[in-house]
Amino acid sequence: MNPFTDIPADSVSALGEEKLIAAIRRWLGAASPRAPFGIGDDCAVLAPSRGRQLITVDPVIYGEHFDDTVSPRAAGGKLFKRNLSDIAAMGGRPRAAVVALALDRRVKLTWLEQFYRGLAAISRRHHVPLVGGDIAHHRGGIVATLTLVGEAAAARVVTRTGACVGDSIWVSGALGNSLRSGHHWRFAPRLAEGQWLARRRHVHAMIDLSDGLAKDLRVLAPRGAEAALDSGAIPRRAGATLAAALGEGEDYELVFALADRADRKKFAQAWRKKFPRTRLSCIGRFVRAGARPSSAVNLADYRGFEHLR
Amino acid sequence: MNPFTDIPADSVSALGEEKLIAAIRRWLGAASPRAPFGIGDDCAVLAPSRGRQLITVDPVIYGEHFDDTVSPRAAGGKLFKRNLSDIAAMGGRPRAAVVALALDRRVKLTWLEQFYRGLAAISRRHHVPLVGGDIAHHRGGIVATLTLVGEAAAARVVTRTGACVGDSIWVSGALGNSLRSGHHWRFAPRLAEGQWLARRRHVHAMIDLSDGLAKDLRVLAPRGAEAALDSGAIPRRAGATLAAALGEGEDYELVFALADRADRKKFAQAWRKKFPRTRLSCIGRFVRAGARPSSAVNLADYRGFEHLR
């Protein structure tokens, strides 16, 4: 859906601020608790956190993360899920979200309603209330920014650092062809999987794939090491070439390093028992820089998504 | 400063993402802790909160909240302080911030550096680390969104509800003429004042003034009541008419309701002792709807700032 209209009566400017906020609360329904625990005061109030807190922020921008081919409901859902995926990558549990919307006054009310209903659906599915936000005018564009706070679900959070030479490299789901297949807004954030992985001490490091395996895996590599990947083991989405699986991005899958001493067979069995519907692939291992076998993929031949280029 | 350049070498697109993030961390300096407690992982990690948590989000948008007459350093500072003012209005203590930047690739690197240095200066002044963020492309605009998490500084948080008929109405600082005077980016968020007020049980309700007293005070009024203001008591910034003081907005001052049974003279003395440099004015009281004396300001004659109109 194209978000804009030239008919003032159909646009967000028609309602006026007070009625617009009332409409947003109606669209959000049970996803929006009452103030001070939700929308309606200077800040939202949350109960104290039990464990360490997590915080992450990601936007969706019209023309960058969604366009007229993506429904507003899907765009709202994508915004929420991108951030849930970041919490998943630390093995955390999401707690509450706030959304800041910068939008042109010509945005259609129907577009906005479906956008918020998309947010509300994800809020309900994952039991993460939308506790606050802001809406402001921005000539010519739509920038929606969601900040998610969460907390550690296990005794530890899994960070991007901690992988060792010899660790095996694993990935959930399948990669590539995210844009054309609609995976970029259809995906399910790997929250349960991330929490399960955080409870296993053999999981050394983890990241979620947003800019493509070739780029994101460099972040996970230990100092003085590189990834040696088996090209045949890299799980590809239908229609994805190897280059697409390595470089396109927006996969929102988890990649993690597992200790060399872990029993890989038992580990994979335990995963299959817990997550029978989520594919898991061992795609290679970290080796000393320069020690990559000639049969392994040379990641330097592939590029991930580069922002601001 | 105009933020845009047509010379690619001077723009944010020149550096590439990795170098740009390294530059941002350099510009932020001590304001940016190391990952996982700061920039560099999927989420930032914070220690558990002691009390109830607060969360607020507000943007600054090019063409709306700042323009070429405002330096990028001031725009960054304003972004941080707008959010600090919301924490102040609940009597809270800020803990950490994340910033999401949506910007055109033609934005000047010098603009961006000064913007982040403006954020860093406020971060240092108020001891609130910038723990994470995001930077994404957005054709033709600049939308910077800051989310602030904080916690209750006293046994309670002060909300917008709780004022009673008979309560006196107080305001910090002076109002009006915020845009022309530069107050809209020069202001100091009233954090210490807000925390002090939260510890006094006679303070029934509080809000920070962003859309103008005429509009924001309606939010504070108890059900079935209205504000009766003494026009002569409303503190005006130099050059501000009464209409400007009531309706222009961007004052970032605290307005609060004080119990009728409180000793107003003692209260004002205690304030002056604690905050000798922050003006405090008693500007009226809440009366039953319709019981406003004819000498009092009729707020219905004034409008605050309306978003999205």
Side-chain angles (χ1 to χ4, degrees):
Chain A
M1 184 198 282
N2 179 284
F4 306 105
T5 176
D6 288 326
I7 305 168
D10 295 342
S11 77
V12 295
S13 67
L15 278 193
E17 189 183 346
E18 210 167 303
K19 283 184 187 163
L20 183 61
I21 292 171
I24 289 171
R25 298 177 75 157
R26 203 167 59 242
W27 300 332
L28 288 174
S32 160
R34 290 169 68 102
F37 305 104
I39 297 169
D41 216 307
D42 292 297
C43 301
V45 178
L46 293 184
S49 68
R50 276 170 296 185
R52 272 175 297 173
Q53 300 180 71
L54 302 172
I55 179 163
T56 186
V57 60
D58 259 327
V60 293
I61 301 171
Y62 179 67
E64 303 285 332
H65 304 97
F66 68 98
D67 57 20
D68 295 350
T69 70
V70 176
S71 77
R73 197 181 162 93
K78 175 175 181 173
L79 173 61
F80 213 140
K81 291 190 291 184
R82 296 187 77 191
N83 284 282
L84 289 170
S85 187
D86 281 320
I87 295 274
M90 310 284 285
R93 184 191 299 122
R95 285 198 63 199
V98 294
V99 176
L101 211 55
L103 83 184
D104 196 283
R105 58 171 67 84
R106 293 176 306 116
V107 165
K108 290 171 193 158
L109 267 175
T110 52
W111 187 94
L112 196 67
E113 172 173 356
Q114 291 307 315
F115 181 84
Y116 274 103
R117 290 197 186 277
L119 287 172
I122 302 301
S123 164
R124 285 193 306 268
R125 185 177 312 159
H126 294 282
H127 308 286
V128 184
L130 258 164
V131 298
D134 185 74
I135 189 159
H137 183 246
H138 170 44
R139 185 186 296 266
I142 304 176
V143 177
T145 307
L146 188 142
T147 307
L148 194 57
V149 295
E151 61 189 2
R156 64 163 186 158
V157 292
V158 188
T159 66
R160 293 176 173 183
T161 57
C164 304
V165 169
D167 284 2
S168 53
I169 302 168
W170 302 69
V171 64
S172 67
L175 310 182
N177 201 23
S178 176
L179 291 181
R180 264 165 305 139
S181 68
H183 176 77
H184 73 104
W185 59 265
R186 275 201 190 93
F187 72 96
R190 303 297 191 188
L191 282 162
E193 292 86 346
Q195 289 165 21
W196 185 85
L197 291 166
R199 287 195 297 272
R200 319 216 137 216
R201 66 188 166 84
H202 285 328
V203 175
H204 281 165
M206 182 155 59
I207 189 172
D208 81 315
L209 287 176
S210 52
D211 294 342
L213 188 67
K215 182 174 164 189
D216 291 334
L217 201 49
R218 281 205 294 272
V219 174
L220 218 60
R223 196 180 290 261
E226 61 179 310
L229 300 188
D230 170 5
S231 65
I234 294 167
R236 301 188 211 163
R237 192 174 312 287
T241 61
L242 180 64
L246 290 173
E248 271 187 2
E250 300 233 39
D251 298 306
Y252 303 109
E253 295 292 351
L254 298 176
V255 185
F256 57 92
L258 187 73
D260 191 24
R261 66 183 175 284
D263 184 328
R264 286 195 259 178
K265 202 172 158 187
K266 268 195 185 164
F267 178 83
Q269 279 172 344
W271 173 285
R272 272 199 300 276
K273 197 172 162 194
K274 182 78 182 169
F275 305 109
R277 293 164 60 183
T278 310
R279 186 170 173 180
L280 180 69
S281 309
C282 180
I283 58 175
R285 56 205 302 257
F286 286 116
V287 298
R288 262 177 240 294
R292 178 171 43 81
S294 58
S295 61
V297 178
N298 186 359
L299 286 181
D301 293 343
Y302 300 91
R303 300 179 62 126
F305 182 78
E306 270 286 310
H307 299 262
L308 289 168
R309 277 286 179 174
Chain B
M1 185 198 280
N2 179 284
F4 305 105
T5 176
D6 288 325
I7 305 167
D10 294 343
S11 78
V12 295
S13 67
L15 277 193
E17 190 183 344
E18 209 167 305
K19 282 184 187 162
L20 183 62
I21 291 171
I24 288 172
R25 296 177 76 156
R26 202 167 61 242
W27 298 332
L28 288 175
S32 161
R34 292 169 67 103
F37 306 104
I39 295 169
D41 216 306
D42 292 297
C43 300
V45 179
L46 292 184
S49 68
R50 276 170 296 183
R52 273 177 296 173
Q53 300 180 71
L54 302 173
I55 180 163
T56 187
V57 60
D58 259 327
V60 294
I61 301 171
Y62 179 66
E64 303 286 332
H65 303 97
F66 68 97
D67 58 19
D68 296 351
T69 70
V70 176
S71 77
R73 195 179 163 96
K78 176 175 181 173
L79 173 60
F80 212 139
K81 291 190 291 182
R82 293 187 80 192
N83 284 282
L84 290 170
S85 186
D86 282 321
I87 296 274
M90 309 284 283
R93 184 191 298 121
R95 285 197 64 197
V98 294
V99 177
L101 212 54
L103 82 184
D104 196 282
R105 59 172 66 84
R106 293 176 305 116
V107 165
K108 290 172 193 158
L109 268 175
T110 51
W111 187 93
L112 196 68
E113 171 172 356
Q114 290 307 316
F115 182 83
Y116 274 103
R117 290 198 186 277
L119 287 171
I122 302 301
S123 164
R124 285 193 305 268
R125 186 177 314 159
H126 294 283
H127 309 288
V128 183
L130 258 164
V131 298
D134 185 74
I135 189 159
H137 183 245
H138 170 44
R139 186 186 297 268
I142 304 176
V143 177
T145 306
L146 188 141
T147 307
L148 193 57
V149 295
E151 62 188 2
R156 63 162 187 161
V157 292
V158 187
T159 67
R160 293 175 173 183
T161 57
C164 303
V165 168
D167 284 2
S168 52
I169 302 168
W170 302 69
V171 62
S172 66
L175 310 182
N177 201 22
S178 176
L179 292 181
R180 263 165 303 139
S181 68
H183 177 77
H184 73 104
W185 60 265
R186 275 200 190 95
F187 71 97
R190 302 298 191 189
L191 283 161
E193 292 87 345
Q195 289 164 20
W196 185 85
L197 291 166
R199 287 194 298 272
R200 319 216 137 213
R201 66 187 166 85
H202 286 328
V203 175
H204 282 165
M206 182 155 60
I207 190 172
D208 81 315
L209 287 176
S210 52
D211 294 342
L213 188 66
K215 184 175 165 191
D216 291 335
L217 201 48
R218 282 205 292 273
V219 175
L220 217 60
R223 197 180 290 262
E226 62 179 310
L229 300 187
D230 170 4
S231 64
I234 294 167
R236 301 188 211 161
R237 191 174 314 287
T241 61
L242 180 63
L246 290 173
E248 271 187 0
E250 299 234 38
D251 297 306
Y252 303 109
E253 294 293 351
L254 298 176
V255 185
F256 57 92
L258 187 72
D260 191 24
R261 66 183 174 285
D263 183 328
R264 289 195 256 178
K265 201 171 159 187
K266 267 194 184 162
F267 178 83
Q269 279 172 344
W271 173 286
R272 271 197 301 275
K273 196 174 165 192
K274 182 79 181 169
F275 305 110
R277 293 165 59 184
T278 310
R279 186 169 171 181
L280 179 69
S281 309
C282 180
I283 59 174
R285 56 205 302 257
F286 286 116
V287 297
R288 264 176 236 295
R292 177 172 42 83
S294 59
S295 61
V297 178
N298 185 0
L299 286 180
D301 294 343
Y302 300 90
R303 298 179 63 127
F305 182 78
E306 270 287 309
H307 300 263
L308 288 166
R309 274 288 179 170

